Amino acid sequence: MRKSLLALLMAAATVPAAVPAIGPALAQDKTVNLKVSLWVPPAHPLVPATQAWAADIEKASGGTIKVTVFPSEQLGKAFDHYDMARDGIADVTYVNPGYQPGRFPIAAAGQLPFVFSDGKKGTLALNEWYHKYAPTEMKDTKLCFAFIHDPGALHGKKKIVLPSDLSGVKVRPAQSTIGEMVKMFGGTNVQASAPESRDAIERGVADEITFPWGSIFLFGIDKVVKYHMDVPLYTTVFTYNMNLAKYNSMSDAQKKVIDDHCSPEWASKVTDPWTDFEANGRTKMKALQGHEVYPLTPDQLAEWKKAVKPLRDSWAEAVKKAGGDAEKIEADLQATLKKYEAGI
């Protein structure tokens, strides 16, 4: 009897303990720590929205993916964020592809003037469109999602009405395509990241800036400019990119959590608060004393649209040089804009 009982106890000891039905794979995963680098300050709407995104990743992973958000260029300069994701300096980074002219020619289609009319619909369109091309153009990182801010405008010390008014003017462009526009109209480009822009205007290094409306206040630029062109002149393409090695080191269950949080729905959740913030900035500016928010007449707007056409031709040429089919890519973008009613 005693030998039989002992045998039964030993056999029971070799049976694995029952694993809870909820999240068994995640429960067995090793802990992964992710550093998310943003170059905007904590007051920027992207920061709390990204923190909420990070918290949901932790929750969905059963706590096996720990995410820390670093704003304000703590891990590196704004211009370096793509390479930071590639090299693992950070695990997820907030990238402005236009900060590096010529490096991402396909993405630059979203930065041409007068493409998007709306930030929210435009983000859905851009994200769907660019996911088809990022595996080629951003192959050394994983694209999480792509998005735009609400359309920005020209702000400065001088009232600019026609393209010719930019002749001889020093402009801090939001991205490389707008920089090409400035040169095409006889202006001079001043390179400065968003956090450096107020200082550039205050010191007279720049006279004008292309910027979204709410961020004019966030970065204190409203203190150094007076005139604001009330037209959806441009948008800037942004991406959240992830280090490939870190992603590939995760379990299948953890990868699924990341993939589920790199969705169109999360692209909107993270960026919609920023879109609202920028749109409200336009309303705030109109009510501010000492500032002039001025519309363009239909003829003036038509002149701008005609004048910027060479930029589209230059974009197509750059895509062809990189081995892309510019006509197909452009047609795909226009179809996606139409699908989401996001175009001008």
Side-chain angles (χ1 to χ4, degrees):
M1 281 287 289
R2 292 176 66 183
K3 287 183 178 180
S4 299
L5 181 59
L6 183 60
L8 285 170
L9 288 171
M10 290 178 68
T14 63
V15 177
V19 178
I22 300 175
L26 286 168
Q28 296 169 14
D29 286 335
K30 64 180 180 181
T31 300
V32 174
N33 294 299
L34 296 182
K35 295 181 291 186
V36 179
S37 182
L38 309 178
W39 39 265
V40 289
H44 194 288
L46 271 181
V47 177
T50 302
Q51 289 169 335
W53 176 75
D56 205 76
I57 289 174
E58 288 194 25
K59 180 181 177 182
S61 70
T64 68
I65 303 176
K66 306 288 187 183
V67 187
T68 306
V69 178
F70 296 87
S72 300
E73 298 185 310
Q74 291 180 59
L75 301 183
K77 292 294 185 181
F79 289 106
D80 298 328
H81 269 55
Y82 181 82
D83 292 334
M84 287 164 57
R86 181 196 64 190
D87 299 338
I89 295 170
D91 302 302
V92 180
T93 64
Y94 167 46
V95 177
N96 178 344
Y99 276 165
Q100 299 187 40
R103 188 173 184 182
F104 306 105
I106 295 175
Q111 307 201 147
L112 291 166
F114 308 111
V115 173
F116 296 99
S117 61
D118 178 271
K120 292 182 180 181
K121 294 176 181 178
T123 285
L124 291 172
L126 176 78
N127 187 56
E128 180 176 310
W129 169 77
Y130 193 56
H131 260 93
K132 301 171 187 176
Y133 302 102
T136 298
E137 188 161 80
M138 294 184 169
K139 60 182 179 294
D140 44 12
T141 66
K142 172 183 171 60
L143 175 68
C144 183
F145 43 71
F147 57 100
I148 58 170
H149 58 60
D150 203 56
L154 188 66
H155 315 265
K157 299 176 179 179
K158 178 183 177 182
K159 188 173 182 178
I160 306 294
V161 176
L162 296 173
S164 58
D165 293 338
L166 285 176
S167 180
V169 176
K170 297 172 291 186
V171 183
R172 180 273 182 188
Q175 28 90 338
S176 55
T177 306
I178 295 299
E180 288 300 310
M181 182 191 80
V182 170
K183 288 194 295 183
M184 192 167 67
F185 298 149
T188 301
N189 283 307
V190 176
Q191 294 301 320
S193 67
E196 300 165 342
S197 295
R198 173 181 173 168
D199 183 58
I201 298 172
E202 199 163 29
R203 291 188 294 111
V205 175
D207 306 309
E208 305 282 322
I209 183 170
T210 52
F211 224 61
W213 292 88
S215 291
I216 285 283
F217 295 97
L218 181 65
F219 290 95
I221 298 168
D222 59 299
K223 304 293 193 301
V224 293
V225 295
K226 177 180 179 181
Y227 297 100
H228 313 270
M229 184 191 291
D230 190 10
V231 62
L233 174 63
Y234 79 99
T235 57
T236 300
V237 172
F238 297 100
T239 57
Y240 273 26
N241 295 70
M242 186 171 183
N243 176 262
L244 278 175
K246 181 57 72 79
Y247 177 76
N248 290 332
S249 73
M250 294 181 173
S251 71
D252 289 343
Q254 289 172 325
K255 286 178 181 176
K256 185 178 185 306
V257 171
I258 295 298
D259 292 344
D260 288 347
H261 286 78
C262 290
S263 64
E265 292 76 19
W266 272 104
S268 293
K269 286 181 182 180
V270 171
T271 63
D272 279 358
W274 184 18
T275 298
D276 291 335
F277 170 79
E278 299 296 1
N280 290 337
R282 179 172 168 269
T283 303
K284 181 178 178 181
M285 190 67 76
K286 285 186 171 184
L288 198 64
Q289 290 187 346
H291 289 257
E292 183 179 346
V293 178
Y294 59 96
L296 297 180
T297 67
D299 287 345
Q300 290 167 344
L301 183 58
E303 186 167 339
W304 277 93
K305 289 183 176 181
K306 180 180 179 182
V308 300
K309 186 180 180 300
L311 293 173
R312 190 171 298 278
D313 299 335
S314 295
W315 168 82
E317 187 62 30
V319 170
K320 289 175 184 176
K321 284 183 179 178
D325 185 337
E327 290 185 9
K328 181 181 180 300
I329 293 168
E330 165 70 7
D332 188 14
L333 176 58
Q334 291 303 320
T336 313
L337 288 170
K338 185 177 180 180
K339 173 182 175 180
Y340 289 99
E341 299 179 340
I344 295 177

